[in-house]
Amino acid sequence: MKTAFKVINIILLVIYGLIAILAVIGIMGAGAATAGKTGGEAALGGVAILYLILALIPTVIAIFMVINGLKENYNMCFKLAAILMVLNIISFIASDNKGSAVFGLITSIAYCFVAKKLDDGAF
C-alpha cells in the first residue's frame, strides 16, 4: 500500500507542479498584457493576477502535502488533506465550477482516508 501511495504522490506532484507553472506563466502574461495600461484595463489585469495568486494557495498546500507523503509523514498529509477538503467545500459553495470542486473533494477524502490508515499502521 505504501508503494501505491508513493506512486499516487508522484503523479499528484507532477500534476500540481504543472498547475503551478501554468499559473506563474498566466501571472506573467497578465502582467505583460497590462503593462503601461491605465484605468479599467490595468484594474482588470490586477484582478487577473490576484485571482491567479489566490488559485496558487491550494496548489502550494497540495504540493507540500505530496512532499510530506513522499517523506512518509502521514500525519501531516492527513492534516493538509483536511485543509484541502475544507477549501474544496468552500469552492463548491462559492463557484460555478461544481465538477472540479466535487472531484477535488472526493480525492481529498480518499487521500485523507489512506493517509490516516497509513499513519495508524493499518496498511
Side-chain angles (χ1 to χ4, degrees), residues 22-96:
L22 291 175
V24 169
I25 290 171
I27 289 169
M28 291 186 320
T34 58
K37 305 287 183 180
T38 59
E41 294 172 336
L44 186 61
V47 169
I49 290 171
L50 179 66
Y51 178 77
L52 288 168
I53 289 172
L54 290 175
L56 276 175
I57 292 171
T59 304
V60 170
I61 293 171
I63 289 173
F64 188 57
M65 176 188 72
V66 168
I67 290 171
N68 279 306
L70 291 173
K71 292 180 181 178
E72 296 184 4
N73 187 359
Y74 302 122
N75 187 27
M76 183 60 81
C77 283
F78 174 75
K79 291 175 183 176
L80 292 170
I83 291 171
L84 284 176
M85 197 181 326
V86 170
L87 291 175
N88 281 318
I89 291 170
I90 292 170
S91 175
F92 180 78
I93 293 169
S95 74
D96 292 332

